[in-house]
Protein backbone atom coordinates (compact mmCIF):
# COMPACT_ATOMS: atom_id res chain seq x y z
CA UNK A 1 0.00 0.00 0.00
CA UNK A 2 1.28 3.48 -0.75
CA UNK A 3 1.72 5.90 2.17
CA UNK A 4 -0.29 9.12 2.18
CA UNK A 5 1.52 12.36 2.88
CA UNK A 6 -0.81 14.00 5.38
CA UNK A 7 -0.62 11.49 8.20
CA UNK A 8 2.54 11.63 10.29
CA UNK A 9 1.37 10.31 13.61
CA UNK A 10 -1.25 7.63 14.21
CA UNK A 11 -2.97 7.26 17.58
CA UNK A 12 -4.67 4.10 18.80
CA UNK A 13 -7.10 3.44 21.64
CA UNK A 14 -9.38 0.65 22.86
CA UNK A 15 -12.77 1.63 24.25
CA UNK A 16 -15.83 0.04 25.89
CA UNK A 17 -15.78 -3.59 27.02
CA UNK A 18 -12.50 -5.35 26.30
CA UNK A 19 -12.50 -8.27 23.86
CA UNK A 20 -9.95 -11.00 23.18
CA UNK A 21 -7.97 -10.00 20.09
CA UNK A 22 -7.79 -6.30 20.90
CA UNK A 23 -4.08 -6.75 21.65
CA UNK A 24 -3.51 -8.37 18.27
CA UNK A 25 -5.27 -5.37 16.68
CA UNK A 26 -3.09 -2.89 18.62
CA UNK A 27 0.03 -4.78 17.55
CA UNK A 28 -1.06 -4.71 13.91
CA UNK A 29 -1.83 -0.98 14.02
CA UNK A 30 1.50 -0.12 15.67
CA UNK A 31 3.70 -2.27 13.46
CA UNK A 32 1.85 -1.44 10.24
CA UNK A 33 2.08 2.29 11.02
CA UNK A 34 5.82 1.95 11.61
CA UNK A 35 6.14 0.02 8.34
CA UNK A 36 4.45 3.00 6.62
CA UNK A 37 7.01 5.34 8.24
CA UNK A 38 4.56 6.82 10.77
CA UNK A 39 4.97 7.62 14.46
CA UNK A 40 2.53 5.90 16.83
CA UNK A 41 0.95 7.06 20.07
CA UNK A 42 -1.08 4.81 22.35
CA UNK A 43 -3.93 6.33 24.33
CA UNK A 44 -4.56 4.58 27.63
CA UNK A 45 -8.03 3.77 29.03
CA UNK A 46 -9.99 4.80 25.95
CA UNK A 47 -11.62 8.21 25.74
CA UNK A 48 -11.29 8.61 29.56
CA UNK A 49 -7.51 8.42 29.31
CA UNK A 50 -7.54 10.74 26.30
CA UNK A 51 -9.36 13.39 28.34
CA UNK A 52 -6.68 13.03 31.03
CA UNK A 53 -3.80 13.17 28.54
CA UNK A 54 -2.72 9.57 29.16
CA UNK A 55 -0.83 9.22 25.89
CA UNK A 56 2.35 7.22 25.37
CA UNK A 57 4.82 6.84 22.51
CA UNK A 58 4.80 3.34 21.04
CA UNK A 59 7.38 1.48 18.99
CA UNK A 60 7.65 -2.02 17.57
CA UNK A 61 8.83 -3.36 20.95
CA UNK A 62 5.84 -1.86 22.81
CA UNK A 63 3.69 -4.55 21.23
CA UNK A 64 6.05 -7.54 21.57
CA UNK A 65 4.57 -10.69 23.05
CA UNK A 66 0.93 -9.51 23.06
CA UNK A 67 -0.62 -11.18 19.99
CA UNK A 68 -1.67 -14.12 22.19
CA UNK A 69 -2.82 -12.16 25.23
CA UNK A 70 -6.43 -11.41 26.23
CA UNK A 71 -7.53 -8.01 27.48
CA UNK A 72 -5.93 -4.85 26.13
CA UNK A 73 -2.48 -3.52 27.03
CA UNK A 74 -3.82 0.01 26.48
CA UNK A 75 -6.62 -0.73 28.95
CA UNK A 76 -10.14 0.50 28.36
CA UNK A 77 -13.03 2.36 29.95
CA UNK A 78 -16.62 3.38 29.38
CA UNK A 79 -16.54 7.16 29.18
CA UNK A 80 -19.70 9.10 30.02
CA UNK A 81 -18.02 12.47 29.26
CA UNK A 82 -17.67 11.39 25.63
CA UNK A 83 -21.47 11.48 25.28
CA UNK A 84 -21.47 15.23 26.01
CA UNK A 85 -20.57 18.05 23.63
CA UNK A 86 -18.03 19.47 26.11
CA UNK A 87 -16.33 16.08 26.49
CA UNK A 88 -16.17 15.57 22.73
CA UNK A 89 -14.68 19.03 22.22
CA UNK A 90 -12.05 18.40 24.94
CA UNK A 91 -11.21 15.02 23.42
CA UNK A 92 -10.72 16.55 19.97
CA UNK A 93 -8.42 19.21 21.47
CA UNK A 94 -6.41 16.50 23.26
CA UNK A 95 -5.91 14.63 19.97
CA UNK A 96 -4.67 17.76 18.23
CA UNK A 97 -2.44 18.74 21.20
CA UNK A 98 -0.80 15.29 21.04
CA UNK A 99 -0.02 15.84 17.34
CA UNK A 100 -2.15 12.84 16.33
CA UNK A 101 -3.45 13.22 12.78
CA UNK A 102 -5.13 9.85 12.37
CA UNK A 103 -6.87 7.95 15.18
CA UNK A 104 -7.72 4.24 15.26
CA UNK A 105 -10.59 3.43 17.66
CA UNK A 106 -11.08 -0.23 18.56
CA UNK A 107 -14.46 -0.94 20.20
CA UNK A 108 -18.19 -1.27 19.62
CA UNK A 109 -21.00 0.97 18.40
CA UNK A 110 -20.77 3.31 21.42
CA UNK A 111 -17.06 3.87 20.75
CA UNK A 112 -17.83 4.53 17.08
CA UNK A 113 -20.34 7.22 18.08
CA UNK A 114 -17.53 8.89 20.05
CA UNK A 115 -15.32 8.66 16.97
CA UNK A 116 -18.05 10.16 14.78
CA UNK A 117 -18.31 13.07 17.22
CA UNK A 118 -14.53 13.57 17.03
CA UNK A 119 -14.72 13.60 13.23
CA UNK A 120 -17.07 16.61 13.40
CA UNK A 121 -14.18 18.51 15.07
CA UNK A 122 -11.85 17.61 12.22
CA UNK A 123 -10.21 14.55 13.79
CA UNK A 124 -9.57 11.87 11.19
CA UNK A 125 -10.77 8.56 12.61
CA UNK A 126 -10.89 4.92 11.55
CA UNK A 127 -12.81 2.39 13.67
CA UNK A 128 -12.30 -1.34 14.14
CA UNK A 129 -15.18 -3.46 15.52
CA UNK A 130 -14.09 -5.13 18.75
CA UNK A 131 -16.73 -6.61 21.06
CA UNK A 132 -17.66 -10.10 22.21
CA UNK A 133 -21.34 -9.27 21.52
CA UNK A 134 -21.15 -9.30 17.66
CA UNK A 135 -23.70 -6.48 17.80
CA UNK A 136 -21.96 -3.99 15.49
CA UNK A 137 -24.58 -3.75 12.75
CA UNK A 138 -22.31 -2.78 9.87
CA UNK A 139 -19.97 -5.77 10.23
CA UNK A 140 -20.57 -9.50 9.97
CA UNK A 141 -17.75 -10.04 12.47
CA UNK A 142 -16.45 -8.31 15.59
CA UNK A 143 -13.10 -9.10 17.19
CA UNK A 144 -13.51 -11.23 20.32
CA UNK A 145 -16.75 -13.01 19.44
CA UNK A 146 -15.17 -16.32 18.45
CA UNK A 147 -13.05 -16.51 21.61
CA UNK A 148 -16.02 -15.61 23.83
CA UNK A 149 -18.23 -18.25 22.20
CA UNK A 150 -15.53 -20.88 22.61
CA UNK A 151 -14.98 -19.91 26.25
CA UNK A 152 -18.70 -20.07 26.99
CA UNK A 153 -19.08 -23.31 25.01
CA UNK A 154 -16.39 -25.03 27.10
CA UNK A 155 -18.03 -23.84 30.33
CA UNK A 156 -21.49 -24.97 29.19
CA UNK A 157 -20.13 -28.45 28.30
CA UNK A 158 -19.00 -28.74 31.93
CA UNK A 159 -22.38 -27.64 33.29
CA UNK A 160 -24.02 -30.19 31.01
CA UNK A 161 -21.97 -33.04 32.53
CA UNK A 162 -23.23 -32.32 36.02
CA UNK A 163 -26.73 -31.52 34.75
CA UNK A 164 -26.96 -34.98 33.17
CA UNK A 165 -25.57 -36.72 36.28
CA UNK A 166 -28.25 -35.10 38.42
CA UNK A 167 -30.95 -35.20 35.70
CA UNK A 168 -31.43 -31.48 36.26
CA UNK A 169 -32.58 -28.53 34.30
CA UNK A 170 -29.77 -25.95 33.91
CA UNK A 171 -30.13 -22.34 32.91
CA UNK A 172 -26.88 -20.81 31.71
CA UNK A 173 -26.83 -17.07 31.19
CA UNK A 174 -24.39 -15.72 28.62
CA UNK A 175 -23.37 -12.12 27.91
CA UNK A 176 -24.31 -10.12 24.81
CA UNK A 177 -26.05 -7.05 26.20
CA UNK A 178 -29.34 -6.73 24.22
CA UNK A 179 -28.23 -8.95 21.37
CA UNK A 180 -28.70 -12.72 21.14
CA UNK A 181 -25.69 -13.66 18.99
CA UNK A 182 -23.61 -15.18 21.81
CA UNK A 183 -26.65 -17.05 23.14
CA UNK A 184 -27.62 -18.38 19.70
CA UNK A 185 -24.11 -19.56 18.84
CA UNK A 186 -23.66 -21.19 22.27
CA UNK A 187 -27.09 -22.78 22.02
CA UNK A 188 -26.25 -24.34 18.65
CA UNK A 189 -22.73 -25.35 19.64
CA UNK A 190 -23.86 -26.88 22.93
CA UNK A 191 -27.04 -28.50 21.64
CA UNK A 192 -29.25 -26.60 24.09
CA UNK A 193 -32.89 -27.60 24.52
CA UNK A 194 -33.99 -23.97 24.73
CA UNK A 195 -32.27 -20.75 23.61
CA UNK A 196 -33.83 -17.60 24.97
CA UNK A 197 -33.03 -14.66 22.69
CA UNK A 198 -33.91 -11.03 23.49
CA UNK A 199 -34.94 -10.53 19.85
CA UNK A 200 -37.71 -13.16 20.11
CA UNK A 201 -38.46 -13.83 23.78
CA UNK A 202 -42.15 -13.58 24.70
CA UNK A 203 -41.77 -14.08 28.49
CA UNK A 204 -44.05 -17.14 28.36
CA UNK A 205 -42.35 -19.46 30.87
CA UNK A 206 -45.17 -22.00 30.55
CA UNK A 207 -43.83 -22.86 27.06
CA UNK A 208 -40.44 -23.66 28.59
CA UNK A 209 -42.06 -25.74 31.34
CA UNK A 210 -44.09 -27.69 28.74
CA UNK A 211 -40.95 -28.25 26.65
CA UNK A 212 -39.06 -29.59 29.66
CA UNK A 213 -41.88 -32.03 30.51
CA UNK A 214 -42.19 -33.19 26.87
CA UNK A 215 -38.45 -33.80 26.71
CA UNK A 216 -38.54 -35.80 29.97
CA UNK A 217 -41.17 -38.05 28.39
CA UNK A 218 -38.86 -38.47 25.39
CA UNK A 219 -36.18 -39.74 27.76
CA UNK A 220 -33.94 -36.67 27.95
CA UNK A 221 -31.84 -36.66 31.10
CA UNK A 222 -31.14 -32.96 31.29
CA UNK A 223 -32.57 -29.74 29.91
CA UNK A 224 -30.08 -27.01 29.01
CA UNK A 225 -31.49 -23.52 28.63
CA UNK A 226 -29.18 -20.82 27.29
CA UNK A 227 -30.51 -17.51 28.49
CA UNK A 228 -29.24 -14.25 27.00
CA UNK A 229 -28.11 -11.45 29.31
CA UNK A 230 -30.64 -9.17 27.58
CA UNK A 231 -33.40 -11.31 29.15
CA UNK A 232 -31.56 -11.98 32.41
CA UNK A 233 -33.33 -12.94 35.68
CA UNK A 234 -31.90 -16.48 35.46
CA UNK A 235 -31.99 -17.11 39.22
CA UNK A 236 -35.70 -16.28 39.53
CA UNK A 237 -36.45 -18.22 36.36
CA UNK A 238 -34.72 -21.29 37.85
CA UNK A 239 -36.84 -21.09 41.01
CA UNK A 240 -40.06 -20.75 39.03
CA UNK A 241 -39.19 -23.59 36.65
CA UNK A 242 -38.27 -25.88 39.57
CA UNK A 243 -41.60 -25.08 41.26
CA UNK A 244 -43.58 -25.69 38.07
CA UNK A 245 -41.81 -28.88 36.91
CA UNK A 246 -40.79 -30.44 40.21
CA UNK A 247 -37.34 -30.92 38.65
CA UNK A 248 -34.20 -29.60 40.32
CA UNK A 249 -33.16 -26.49 38.39
CA UNK A 250 -29.94 -24.50 38.74
CA UNK A 251 -28.82 -21.23 37.18
CA UNK A 252 -25.24 -20.35 36.23
CA UNK A 253 -24.29 -16.85 35.12
CA UNK A 254 -21.04 -17.05 33.15
CA UNK A 255 -20.36 -13.31 33.37
CA UNK A 256 -17.02 -11.66 32.69
CA UNK A 257 -15.05 -14.89 32.24
CA UNK A 258 -16.42 -14.72 28.67
CA UNK A 259 -14.45 -11.53 28.05
CA UNK A 260 -11.03 -12.86 29.02
CA UNK A 261 -8.53 -15.43 27.80
CA UNK A 262 -6.16 -15.93 24.93
CA UNK A 263 -7.78 -15.08 21.58
CA UNK A 264 -8.58 -17.88 19.14
CA UNK A 265 -6.84 -18.08 15.76
CA UNK A 266 -9.92 -16.50 14.12
CA UNK A 267 -9.77 -13.49 16.44
CA UNK A 268 -6.01 -13.05 16.06
CA UNK A 269 -6.24 -13.15 12.28
CA UNK A 270 -9.33 -10.90 12.08
CA UNK A 271 -7.72 -8.38 14.46
CA UNK A 272 -4.41 -8.43 12.61
CA UNK A 273 -6.07 -7.98 9.22
CA UNK A 274 -8.38 -5.20 10.39
CA UNK A 275 -5.54 -3.43 12.24
CA UNK A 276 -3.38 -3.32 9.10
CA UNK A 277 -6.37 -2.37 6.95
CA UNK A 278 -7.13 0.55 9.29
CA UNK A 279 -3.61 1.91 8.89
CA UNK A 280 -3.73 1.41 5.10
CA UNK A 281 -7.05 3.29 5.04
CA UNK A 282 -5.59 6.25 6.94
CA UNK A 283 -2.46 6.25 4.78
CA UNK A 284 -4.58 6.28 1.60
CA UNK A 285 -6.02 9.57 2.84
CA UNK A 286 -9.50 8.17 3.51
CA UNK A 287 -11.39 9.80 6.35
CA UNK A 288 -13.82 8.62 8.98
CA UNK A 289 -14.25 4.98 8.08
CA UNK A 290 -15.24 1.78 9.86
CA UNK A 291 -13.35 -1.36 8.90
CA UNK A 292 -15.78 -4.25 8.52
CA UNK A 293 -16.01 -7.87 7.49
CA UNK A 294 -18.70 -8.44 4.85
CA UNK A 295 -19.29 -11.88 3.33
CA UNK A 296 -15.77 -12.92 4.27
CA UNK A 297 -14.08 -9.82 2.81
CA UNK A 298 -12.54 -6.91 4.73
CA UNK A 299 -13.73 -3.52 3.50
CA UNK A 300 -14.58 -0.07 4.88
CA UNK A 301 -17.69 2.10 5.25
CA UNK A 302 -18.32 5.71 6.15
CA UNK A 303 -18.87 5.90 9.94
CA UNK A 304 -22.15 7.78 9.80
CA UNK A 305 -23.61 5.35 7.27
CA UNK A 306 -22.21 2.39 9.19
CA UNK A 307 -23.95 3.50 12.38
CA UNK A 308 -27.31 3.59 10.58
CA UNK A 309 -27.05 0.03 9.28
CA UNK A 310 -29.09 -2.81 10.74
CA UNK A 311 -28.31 -6.46 11.29
CA UNK A 312 -30.55 -9.33 12.32
CA UNK A 313 -30.03 -12.72 13.89
CA UNK A 314 -29.84 -15.35 11.14
CA UNK A 315 -33.38 -16.72 10.89
CA UNK A 316 -32.32 -20.09 9.57
CA UNK A 317 -30.09 -20.81 12.56
CA UNK A 318 -32.80 -19.68 14.98
CA UNK A 319 -35.28 -22.05 13.33
CA UNK A 320 -32.94 -25.07 13.27
CA UNK A 321 -32.09 -24.58 16.93
CA UNK A 322 -35.79 -25.19 17.68
CA UNK A 323 -36.04 -28.10 15.25
CA UNK A 324 -33.15 -29.95 16.87
CA UNK A 325 -34.20 -29.48 20.51
CA UNK A 326 -36.32 -32.66 20.67
O1 LIG B 1 -20.14 -5.36 25.46
C1 LIG B 1 -19.49 -6.40 26.10
C2 LIG B 1 -20.16 -6.73 27.40
O2 LIG B 1 -19.46 -7.78 28.02
C3 LIG B 1 -21.65 -7.08 27.29
O3 LIG B 1 -21.86 -8.40 26.87
C4 LIG B 1 -22.13 -6.80 28.68
O4 LIG B 1 -23.50 -6.44 28.65
C5 LIG B 1 -21.29 -5.62 29.10
O5 LIG B 1 -20.15 -5.61 28.26
C6 LIG B 1 -20.84 -5.66 30.53
O6 LIG B 1 -20.19 -4.46 30.80
P1 LIG B 1 -19.29 -4.19 32.05
O7 LIG B 1 -17.99 -4.90 31.87
O8 LIG B 1 -19.12 -2.71 32.06
O9 LIG B 1 -20.02 -4.72 33.25
Amino acid sequence: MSSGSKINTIGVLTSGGDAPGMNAAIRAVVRSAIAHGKKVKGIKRGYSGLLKGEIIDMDARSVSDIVQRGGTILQTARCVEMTTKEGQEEAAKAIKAAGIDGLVVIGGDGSFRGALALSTYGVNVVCIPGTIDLDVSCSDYTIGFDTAVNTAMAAIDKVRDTSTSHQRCSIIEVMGRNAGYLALWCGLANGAEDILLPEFYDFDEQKIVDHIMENRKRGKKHHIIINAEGIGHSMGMAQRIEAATGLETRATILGHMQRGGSPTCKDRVAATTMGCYAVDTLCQGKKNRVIVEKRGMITDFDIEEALQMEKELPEYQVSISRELAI
Side-chain angles (χ1 to χ4, degrees):
M1 271 310 147
S2 66
S3 293
S5 53
K6 287 190 187 143
I7 305 277
N8 294 314
T9 303
I10 292 179
V12 55
L13 63 80
T14 47
S15 162
D18 61 351
M22 279 185 166
N23 278 327
I26 296 167
R27 171 180 175 270
V29 169
V30 171
R31 297 232 173 126
S32 172
I34 292 168
H36 281 83
K38 313 296 178 194
K39 285 190 189 144
V40 193
K41 296 200 183 221
I43 298 157
K44 308 271 293 192
R45 300 194 311 108
Y47 296 120
S48 296
L50 173 62
L51 289 168
K52 295 202 168 89
E54 296 173 22
I55 300 175
I56 53 167
D57 292 329
M58 297 187 88
D59 60 23
R61 293 286 71 73
S62 317
V63 290
S64 292
D65 202 23
I66 67 164
V67 75
Q68 80 286 13
R69 279 171 57 191
T72 156
I73 59 159
L74 288 175
Q75 299 174 297
T76 185
R78 301 193 190 278
C79 178
V80 186
E81 294 98 306
M82 227 10 223
T83 58
T84 69
K85 210 168 162 21
E86 297 75 36
Q88 294 161 3
E89 220 173 285
E90 281 308 303
K93 277 189 202 155
I95 289 288
K96 286 177 191 164
I100 293 170
D101 29 36
L103 176 67
V104 179
V105 171
I106 307 166
D109 271 348
S111 310
F112 295 1
R113 276 190 283 277
L116 176 64
L118 286 178
S119 75
T120 64
Y121 293 97
V123 177
N124 189 16
V125 287
V126 172
C127 300
I128 297 177
T131 166
I132 64 163
D133 301 338
L134 197 70
D135 62 349
V136 171
S137 303
C138 60
S139 185
D140 293 346
Y141 193 68
T142 61
I143 296 164
F145 178 74
D146 187 60
T147 309
V149 168
N150 277 287
T151 301
M153 184 185 75
I156 296 163
D157 280 345
K158 293 184 172 76
V159 175
R160 184 189 180 118
D161 286 345
T162 170
S163 196
T164 309
S165 304
H166 289 261
Q167 302 109 69
R168 280 177 176 156
C169 173
S170 293
I171 302 175
I172 301 136
E173 187 174 313
V174 298
M175 275 189 166
R177 203 179 291 275
N178 297 317
Y181 297 100
L182 267 171
L184 177 59
W185 260 252
C186 287
L188 289 171
N190 291 96
E193 276 67 35
D194 277 299
I195 311 173
L196 311 184
L197 304 166
E199 292 84 348
F200 298 105
Y201 193 54
D202 60 6
F203 294 89
D204 183 357
E205 283 182 2
Q206 189 55 47
K207 274 192 208 154
I208 304 172
V209 168
D210 293 345
H211 195 203
I212 294 168
M213 299 319 283
E214 277 163 28
N215 274 345
R216 278 296 142 140
K217 282 191 206 135
R218 289 181 179 124
K220 284 216 168 205
K221 300 214 166 30
H222 60 237
H223 194 98
I224 304 289
I225 300 171
I226 305 298
N227 185 27
E229 179 189 26
I231 296 168
H233 303 286
S234 296
M235 296 295 172
M237 201 184 277
Q239 284 170 358
R240 290 189 296 275
I241 286 175
E242 179 161 320
T245 59
L247 298 171
E248 279 187 329
T249 303
R250 297 285 188 269
T252 305
I253 298 173
L254 296 184
H256 286 82
M257 58 102 76
Q258 293 158 98
R259 286 240 296 265
S262 179
T264 58
C265 176
K266 178 172 170 78
D267 277 323
R268 296 181 199 194
V269 173
T272 300
T273 311
M274 288 186 179
C276 291
Y277 200 101
V279 171
D280 285 345
T281 302
L282 282 171
C283 291
Q284 284 160 15
K286 288 199 198 170
K287 285 188 190 313
N288 310 328
R289 312 295 293 173
V290 179
I291 310 304
V292 301
E293 187 186 297
K294 276 279 159 197
R295 294 180 196 87
M297 302 290 288
I298 304 295
T299 184
D300 56 288
F301 294 146
D302 172 74
I303 296 186
E304 203 163 359
E305 285 171 20
L307 281 169
Q308 281 160 13
M309 290 176 181
E310 284 175 11
K311 177 164 97 173
E312 280 171 9
L313 281 183
E315 254 174 55
Y316 182 71
Q317 280 158 321
V318 173
S319 75
I320 58 170
S321 75
R322 292 178 183 144
E323 193 176 298
L324 298 177
I326 48 174

